[in-house]
């Protein structure tokens, strides 16, 4: 990857660009510098490095793939005697007899968007002016300045003067080629599986993940893939603040129309569909009251399609402030590189509650990416209040499918209860049942406006109360434990201890449901179960 980046740098140098910005992550810095200096030495060009941290200038030399730094005393003497400005390096490079490539590391914060702090603003303007003067003054000299950092954000006044190169995440072919060198005993199939596990990480991260996996003992290829995948999940959480999940085994109760749509999307991923120029929807929007199963539906889609799932709280980007656009750019680059993946934007509407410039800029970035991307990324977003979303986000061609995820009907509540009861009571596993039809009708009537999340809580509370009635403080051997039998009375008691949101906030929930009904298509068919409203005596 660094070799390709270096080719781009020297391609710009050949076009007589004297100022070049390079965005590269910190973990790839040593590898990039080695490749850059190696190519400079091949072309008989000196290479220098200045870092903000110590204000020292070093000449870079590579010997046997090892990077060496040699202090330039000429700069140290001048900088020590003339401390008019911390960025004395810019004056020095303008007038020094030294030539070649000067790498400036850590200067980008002064080149981004304007600041309201007067001292910072003046320093920023001085640096920009000095860089432009360098470009003009050294136009006919063999002096090049490379601005290097993990975030190469440039303000609009200087951006046209500084071409920017961004180090992209390595493709699976590059990762496979690298793994073949570090894992020479692995077969082609094992290398490919490890490359898939490493997709979305830089080579330095993959190398660290492998060394961490084999630090204690040798691993089988399957064990290495498992550990590398676990390391990637932890890394994504730290860097991008997202959850990365492999396709889960997620049973879902109800929402049959939506699940049928998911099965259609799976067929659209086939090569046959591509032959007919058919594609996935650009986006799917799930709207409805809280707790109705929108997040659960995204996991069910991941299971149906067999694709990994990235869960992102869209509103969290607002907390990044000026870094929000940079964070979003990196995240979209990540999902583009992984390609066959589901990107789930949880609580999408909350990111636009403020209706400020930041929200609009983030929405613009997302819209542009959704319109122009070629990767096979399925975007699913959930919203409680669709009226908070900008109108341009909900028009056709942006989110092609909009589903109303409503309060579960009688038949769906029966399915949801059965799924959760099976977690604790063996009688409900493998399609089993322990209640009579009349008992079910009584329970479903009592939970008429409960959503799936509330049903889960009711079952868990009933399981806890049943457990507490069965056992005291004495601990029995596991082999002697009797089964946990959850009775209808325990579920009804748990229901009485809860005030469902759809009753507690009836006006708000009904408003959400009405708006969702106008905007989206139903995600559930008409209830045709034996427990449907027409078959339930609501006065019984």
């Amino acid at each position: 990857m660094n070799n390709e980046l270096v080719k781009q740098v020297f391609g710009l140098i050949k076009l007589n660009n004297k100022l070049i910005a390079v965005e590269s992550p910190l973990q790839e810095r040593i590898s990039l510098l080695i490749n850059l200096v190696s190519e400079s030495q091949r072309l008989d060009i000196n290479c220098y490095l200045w870092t903000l941290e110590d204000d020292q200038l070093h000449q870079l030399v590579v010997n046997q793939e090892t990077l060496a730094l040699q202090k330039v005393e000429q700069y140290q003497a001048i900088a020590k005697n003339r401390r008019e400005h911390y960025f004395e390096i810019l004056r020095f490079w303008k007038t020094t007899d030294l030539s070649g490539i000067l790498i400036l590391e850590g200067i980008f914060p002064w080149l981004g968007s304007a600041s309201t702090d007067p001292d910072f603003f003046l320093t920023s303007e001085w640096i920009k002016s000095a860089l432009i003067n360098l470009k003009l003054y050294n136009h006919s000299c063999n002096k090049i300045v490379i601005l290097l950092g993990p975030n190469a954000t440039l303000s609009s006044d200087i951006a046209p003067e500084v071409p920017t190169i961004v180090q992209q995440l390595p493709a699976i072919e590059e990762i496979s080629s690298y793994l073949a060198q570090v894992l020479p005993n692995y077969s082609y199939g094992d290398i490919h599986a490890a490359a898939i596990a490493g997709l979305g990480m830089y080579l330095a991260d993959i190398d660290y993940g492998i060394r961490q996996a084999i630090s204690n003992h040798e691993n089988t290829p399957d064990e290495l893939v498992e550990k590398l995948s676990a390391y990637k999940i932890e890394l994504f959480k730290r860097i991008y603040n997202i959850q990365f999940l492999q396709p889960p085994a997620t049973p879902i109760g109800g929402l049959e129309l939506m699940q049928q749509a998911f099965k259609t999307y799976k067929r659209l991923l086939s090569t046959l569909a591509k032959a007919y120029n058919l594609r996935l929807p650009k986006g799917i929007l799930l709207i409805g009251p809280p707790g109705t199963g929108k997040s659960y539906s995204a996991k069910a889609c991941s299971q149906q399609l067999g694709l990994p799932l990235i869960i992102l709280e869209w509103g969290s980007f607002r907390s990044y402030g000026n870094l929000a656009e940079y964070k979003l750019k990196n995240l979209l680059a990540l999902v583009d590189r992984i390609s066959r993946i589901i990107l789930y934007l949880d609580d999408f509407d909350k990111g636009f509650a403020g209706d400020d410039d930041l929200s609009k800029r983030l929405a613009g970035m997302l819209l542009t990416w959704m319109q122009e991307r070629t990767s096979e990324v399925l975007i699913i977003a959930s919203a409680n209040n669709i009226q908070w979303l900008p109108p341009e986000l909900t028009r056709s061609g942006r989110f092609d499918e909009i589903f109303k995820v409503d309060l579960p009907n009688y038949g769906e509540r029966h399915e949801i209860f059965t799924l959760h009861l099976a977690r604790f009571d063996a009688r409900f596993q493998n399609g089993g049942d322990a209640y009579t039809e009349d008992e079910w009708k009584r329970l479903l009537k009592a939970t008429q406006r409960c959503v799936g999340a509330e049903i889960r809580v009711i079952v868990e509370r009933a399981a806890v109360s049943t457990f507490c009635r069965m056992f005291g403080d004495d601990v029995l051997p596991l082999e002697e434990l009797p089964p946990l039998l959850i009775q209808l009375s325990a579920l009804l008691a748990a229901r009485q201890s809860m005030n469902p949101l759809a009753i507690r906030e009836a006006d708000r929930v009904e408003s959400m449901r009405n708006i969702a009904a106008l905007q989206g298509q139903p995600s559930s068919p008409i209830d045709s179960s034996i427990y449907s409203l027409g078959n339930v005596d609501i006065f019984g």
Side-chain angles (χ1 to χ4, degrees):
M1 188 63 182
N2 284 337
N3 288 331
E4 181 61 32
L5 193 69
V6 169
K7 288 179 183 178
Q8 295 181 52
V9 170
F10 280 93
L12 290 174
I13 290 175
K14 288 179 181 178
L15 295 175
N16 203 31
N17 285 284
K18 299 300 182 181
L19 282 178
I20 302 169
V22 175
E23 180 173 298
S24 176
L26 290 174
Q27 61 267 40
E28 291 285 298
R29 188 62 41 82
I30 295 297
S31 176
L32 172 61
L33 290 176
I34 288 174
N35 287 323
L36 187 63
V37 175
S38 296
E39 181 64 13
S40 299
Q41 289 178 178
R42 190 185 70 82
L43 298 173
D44 198 24
I45 299 174
N46 292 329
C47 204
Y48 302 91
L49 173 68
W50 177 87
T51 57
L52 178 66
E53 180 263 333
D54 58 3
D55 188 27
Q56 292 189 2
L57 183 65
H58 294 90
Q59 183 171 356
L60 301 178
V61 179
V62 171
N63 292 316
Q64 298 180 345
E65 299 187 359
T66 299
L67 187 67
L69 283 73
Q70 301 173 355
K71 187 178 294 186
V72 179
E73 298 296 343
Q74 182 183 349
Y75 172 72
Q76 296 307 122
I78 294 176
K80 184 177 180 180
N81 294 328
R82 196 170 63 186
R83 278 289 182 186
E84 297 175 14
H85 201 286
Y86 193 75
F87 295 94
E88 184 64 37
I89 184 65
L90 299 177
R91 286 196 183 102
F92 174 81
W93 190 250
K94 178 180 176 180
T95 57
T96 183
D97 294 334
L98 301 178
S99 64
I101 297 173
L102 171 63
I103 301 170
L104 298 178
E105 187 174 18
I107 204 171
F108 281 118
W110 285 268
L111 304 180
S113 56
S115 171
T116 56
D117 179 77
D119 291 335
F120 188 94
F121 174 77
L122 290 174
T123 303
S124 173
E125 291 301 304
W126 185 91
I127 292 173
K128 293 175 186 177
S129 176
L131 288 173
I132 298 302
N133 284 334
L134 273 180
K135 181 177 180 179
L136 297 174
Y137 194 83
N138 296 326
H139 182 73
S140 58
C141 303
N142 186 23
K143 291 184 179 182
I144 301 98
V145 174
I146 294 178
L147 312 177
L148 180 61
N151 180 7
T153 301
L154 300 172
S155 60
S156 57
D157 54 344
I158 194 174
E161 301 293 331
V162 187
T164 301
I165 301 172
V166 177
Q167 182 171 352
Q168 305 293 341
L169 288 162
I172 193 165
E173 295 81 9
E174 296 169 283
I175 297 174
S176 296
S177 177
Y178 171 75
L179 291 177
Q181 301 174 35
V182 297
L183 302 170
N185 298 326
Y186 276 37
S187 67
Y188 173 82
D190 294 336
I191 290 291
H192 183 69
I196 292 176
L199 194 61
M201 294 190 288
Y202 288 100
L203 296 183
D205 296 323
I206 295 173
D207 180 68
Y208 181 82
I210 291 174
R211 286 189 286 110
Q212 187 181 64
I214 63 177
S215 59
N216 295 324
H217 63 278
E218 289 293 326
N219 294 269
T220 66
D222 289 343
E223 289 173 336
L224 180 65
V225 168
E226 182 179 348
K227 291 182 179 181
L228 191 58
S229 297
Y231 173 70
K232 180 166 74 172
I233 290 171
E234 186 268 335
L235 185 71
F236 284 178
K237 178 66 177 176
R238 284 191 286 113
I239 294 179
Y240 302 102
N241 195 25
I242 58 174
Q243 293 183 59
F244 181 87
L245 305 175
Q246 295 298 338
T250 303
I252 186 170
L255 307 177
E256 294 176 7
L257 296 180
M258 189 194 304
Q259 292 195 71
Q260 290 174 12
F262 293 162
K263 293 177 182 178
T264 301
Y265 303 154
K266 185 173 184 178
R267 297 180 66 183
L268 293 176
L269 288 170
S270 66
T271 54
L272 181 62
K274 293 177 185 177
Y276 285 94
N277 293 321
L278 301 176
R279 59 167 179 79
L280 288 170
K282 286 190 177 295
I284 302 164
L285 186 60
L286 312 180
I287 54 176
T292 49
K294 297 184 289 293
S295 300
Y296 216 61
S297 297
K299 295 179 181 178
C301 185
S302 173
Q303 179 188 6
Q304 289 273 13
L305 274 63
L307 298 180
L309 175 68
I310 284 179
I311 302 177
L312 167 70
E313 290 189 18
W314 180 255
S316 66
F317 273 106
R318 297 170 60 85
S319 65
Y320 292 126
N322 292 333
L323 288 176
E325 292 163 285
Y326 168 71
K327 292 279 188 180
L328 181 57
K329 180 191 73 170
N330 285 349
L331 177 61
L332 296 180
L334 170 70
V335 297
D336 260 336
R337 177 58 76 196
I338 299 176
S339 188
R340 294 173 70 90
I341 196 169
I342 298 172
L343 175 61
Y344 175 54
L345 307 174
D346 195 12
D347 289 333
F348 191 48
D349 51 328
K350 291 182 181 178
F352 303 96
D355 191 29
D356 52 17
D357 288 340
L358 177 59
S359 297
K360 293 174 182 176
R361 294 199 305 270
L362 293 175
M365 285 184 66
L366 181 67
L367 285 175
T368 301
W369 176 76
M370 289 175 66
Q371 199 70 31
E372 297 178 354
R373 79 183 195 278
T374 57
S375 55
E376 293 181 306
V377 180
L378 180 62
I379 303 166
I380 302 178
S382 68
N384 298 326
N385 299 283
I386 194 173
Q387 64 269 29
W388 288 356
L389 299 179
E392 61 269 21
L393 272 173
T394 56
R395 75 165 178 82
S396 182
R398 299 290 166 78
F399 284 96
D400 298 332
E401 302 271 19
I402 301 179
F403 287 101
K404 173 192 177 184
V405 187
D406 203 359
L407 304 179
N409 57 41
Y410 280 78
E412 289 178 323
R413 290 203 301 283
H414 174 262
E415 290 183 43
I416 297 169
F417 264 115
T418 302
L419 288 172
H420 289 299
L421 283 167
R423 295 162 51 202
F424 307 102
D425 192 333
R427 297 175 299 171
F428 293 91
Q429 296 174 2
N430 302 318
D433 201 339
Y435 301 156
T436 66
E437 184 176 323
D438 287 341
E439 286 177 317
W440 272 117
K441 288 181 178 180
R442 185 181 174 190
L443 176 61
L444 298 176
K445 174 187 171 183
T447 56
Q448 186 173 357
R449 291 181 67 80
C450 291
V451 296
E454 291 164 338
I455 291 173
R456 174 180 57 81
V457 173
I458 289 172
V459 173
E460 289 173 351
R461 287 182 181 179
V464 170
S465 66
T466 302
F467 171 81
C468 291
R469 283 197 305 270
M470 290 173 60
F471 303 104
D473 294 332
D474 297 333
V475 179
L476 299 177
L478 289 178
E479 60 271 11
E480 298 179 10
L481 295 180
L484 195 71
L485 305 179
I486 301 177
Q487 303 301 326
L488 175 65
S489 57
L491 293 169
L492 293 174
R495 164 63 186 88
Q496 288 300 316
S497 68
M498 170 190 293
N499 190 10
L501 177 68
I503 296 176
R504 191 171 69 249
E505 299 284 350
D507 291 343
R508 290 177 55 203
V509 170
E510 287 308 303
S511 175
M512 292 178 190
R513 295 180 68 198
N514 292 334
I515 293 173
L518 290 173
Q519 298 281 350
Q521 57 184 306
S523 54
S524 303
I526 296 174
D527 187 5
S528 60
S529 72
I530 62 172
Y531 306 107
S532 66
L533 185 60
N535 298 321
V536 176
D537 181 6
I538 62 174
F539 300 105

